[in-house]
Amino acid sequence: MAIRIGIVGLGKIARDQHVPVIEASPDFTLAAVASRSGGLPDLPYYSDIGDMLAGDDGLDAVALCQPPQVRYDAARAAILAGKHVFLEKPPGATLSEVKSLADLAQAHGVTLFASWHSRYASGVAAAKAWLAERTIRSVAVEWKEDVRVWHPGQAWIWEPGGLGVFDPGINAMSIVTHIMPRPFFLLDGTLSFPENRGAPIAADLTFRDDSGVPITAAFDWRQTGPQTWDISVDTVDGALVLSKGGSVLTIAGELQETAPEAEYRGLYDRFAGLVARGESDVDVSPLRHVADAYLRGARVVVEPFED
């Protein structure tokens, strides 16, 4: 029987990704929407999650697509109502609230899934498998895009908890934490804050793993023209490059064949499997690296940003 799921927060990512994937999935039925921005034809619509949970729609699960600053209360309400919960990335505004939700989900016997869509980019699994058997010399991440293209008019993203440039940057960190065979940690960094914003517009970070391999990451929201989403890994057997957000894989100069892009289909397949097995998946390692950047990175003030 298909899992009856409701979407909370019908913004761009929900309309572009969640809705079409759910509608095409054999595992899910889209049963209701809760949003301040309107609903979808022929579906029950609610203005908030409280009303949706009180409705008579037979929901088994919810997908939470609101900004992270308001997601905790919605997730808590859903868990207490016995619903499985899919968290858009990042899973929360703080590490502590995500830990609280994970404990609550375990206590109530429901699935909690902290989703990282970039891990399901078509080149990532093959990259992870290849690197597992290689000696790595260094890693360089370059994740630069135009915020005016990808997040126009979204004031929440510049507020504390909205992550700023780490909203896309955390996608890169979700890939690197997944493909690297050993954990790594921050050494230092610089976070550039527009003087009129509460979140950074750029960040330059330096990490190392426990064997001394250097890892650098450059995130910037001011890039115009072609966008850059690249991860380069130098190994003794040649360079591995994941480009275009992980969808294109090159190894030792040779382009690798990859499956068609289906990041959100991969997420929902994973969520369905977790629900079937009664398990949760709440990996916060990408968010932990962002928190470490705020803890250890030097703050510099740059020119104001106007949308």
Side-chain angles (χ1 to χ4, degrees), residues 10 24 26 41 50 68 76 84 131 137 141 154 197 207 212 238-239 243 267 288 298 304:
L10 194 64
R76 185 176 187 276
H84 308 294
L131 291 173
R137 291 171 171 164
V141 179
Q154 295 184 14
R197 302 290 180 172
F207 306 85
S243 54
L267 288 178
R288 182 180 297 114

Side-chain angles (χ1 to χ4, degrees), residues 58-238:
L59 293 180
D60 304 302
V62 296
L64 302 184
C65 304
Q66 331 97 301
Q69 298 100 315
V70 300
R71 204 175 293 152
Y72 173 82
D73 287 336
R76 185 176 187 276
I79 291 169
L80 292 176
K83 312 304 180 187
H84 308 294
V85 176
F86 179 117
L87 298 170
E88 246 296 348
K89 67 88 187 176
T94 69
L95 291 164
S96 295
E97 69 182 47
V98 179
K99 175 63 165 60
S100 175
L101 291 175
D103 292 344
L104 191 66
Q106 182 176 15
H108 285 77
V110 298
T111 292
L112 182 66
F113 179 35
S115 69
W116 301 104
H117 66 83
S118 290
R119 288 182 173 177
Y120 292 82
S122 53
V124 172
K128 178 180 174 68
W130 193 82
L131 291 173
E133 300 177 353
R134 299 298 185 287
T135 299
I136 298 172
R137 291 171 171 164
S138 64
V139 181
V141 179
E142 189 176 7
W143 220 260
K144 299 178 179 180
E145 63 183 43
D146 187 347
V147 65
R148 292 184 174 92
V149 172
W150 300 101
H151 296 281
Q154 295 184 14
W156 66 266
I157 213 163
W158 293 106
E159 298 168 357
L163 297 189
V165 75
F166 288 111
D167 182 81
I170 205 170
N171 293 334
M173 300 312 298
S174 74
I175 295 175
V176 179
T177 53
H178 188 61
I179 66 175
M180 287 292 285
R182 291 180 298 275
F184 56 93
F185 56 90
L186 186 71
L187 294 177
D188 56 50
T190 300
L191 279 59
S192 299
F193 285 74
E195 65 178 7
N196 62 336
R197 302 290 180 172
I201 198 168
D204 291 284
L205 308 173
T206 301
F207 306 85
R208 53 157 286 193
D209 74 4
D210 56 11
S211 65
V213 172
I215 303 167
T216 59
F219 305 142
D220 204 316
W221 247 353
R222 298 166 294 192
Q223 179 152 302
T224 58
Q227 310 286 272
T228 304
W229 301 295
D230 296 340
I231 299 170
S232 302
V233 185
D234 182 40
T235 81
V236 296
D237 296 313

